[in-house]
Amino acid sequence: MNIPFLGHRRQKVGFPDPAGIADLLAECELLRSQASRAGVRLDDTAASLEALDQLLPRWRDDEETLTWLGNDAGLYLGSVIVRTVPGAAWEIRPDGQPVVRLDSGREFDVVESGHEWAAYGVPELSQLYAEVAES
């Protein structure tokens, strides 16, 4: 339907600005809230990942919180990697899953790793970061 006074609406092809994606994925609202209550400052550093690894996993009793927190933990891990590891960048798979890709082409499903961390505590976020940073 063409309504002249509304103009033509065209959708942009491709993905939004990579910095905008990175900012959106870094929000991690529930994780930031949990960390803040425990006195942990999330400042996008490897040290903040180590501090998260030390949190008592009180969320494991609540399935909804566990799932949401696991997602946030993975996105936060990815955000730290993208901001501190040269050549690391977010990529969105065709299925909509955000992953981190290194210059070498190696890909990390950080969200899956975040879910494992939230549910079992292993692998630790700081350990995953160290593995990626070495690559």
Side-chain angles (χ1 to χ4, degrees):
M1 178 179 216
N2 183 11
I3 303 174
F5 64 85
L6 293 179
H8 297 286
R9 298 184 120 190
R10 295 182 188 190
Q11 292 190 354
K12 292 183 179 180
V13 178
F15 289 105
D17 166 38
I21 291 174
D23 288 343
L24 180 64
L25 294 175
E27 286 183 4
C28 311
E29 193 175 318
L30 179 62
L31 181 69
R32 289 184 185 280
S33 171
Q34 295 264 342
S36 178
R37 276 188 260 149
V40 174
R41 183 170 173 260
L42 300 184
D43 59 0
D44 298 330
T45 63
S48 67
L49 294 172
E50 291 172 11
L52 285 173
D53 288 336
Q54 301 305 312
L55 291 179
L56 290 176
R58 300 177 201 278
W59 56 83
R60 290 190 185 142
D61 295 335
D62 181 348
E63 188 65 33
E64 184 177 332
T65 300
L66 177 67
T67 300
W68 189 5
L69 191 71
N71 196 58
D72 278 9
L75 293 175
Y76 182 71
L77 170 64
S79 296
V80 173
I81 292 169
V82 166
R83 291 182 175 155
T84 61
V85 175
W90 283 109
E91 185 173 299
I92 308 297
R93 289 186 190 159
D95 65 359
Q97 180 75 4
V99 295
V100 172
R101 183 176 295 276
L102 302 180
D103 274 344
S104 66
R106 193 166 173 204
E107 184 179 280
F108 294 91
D109 187 342
V110 291
V111 172
E112 181 180 320
S113 297
H115 283 283
E116 290 174 5
W117 173 82
Y120 310 111
V122 289
E124 293 182 337
L125 298 175
S126 58
Q127 180 184 19
L128 290 166
Y129 174 82
E131 290 174 19
V132 172
E134 283 181 4
S135 298

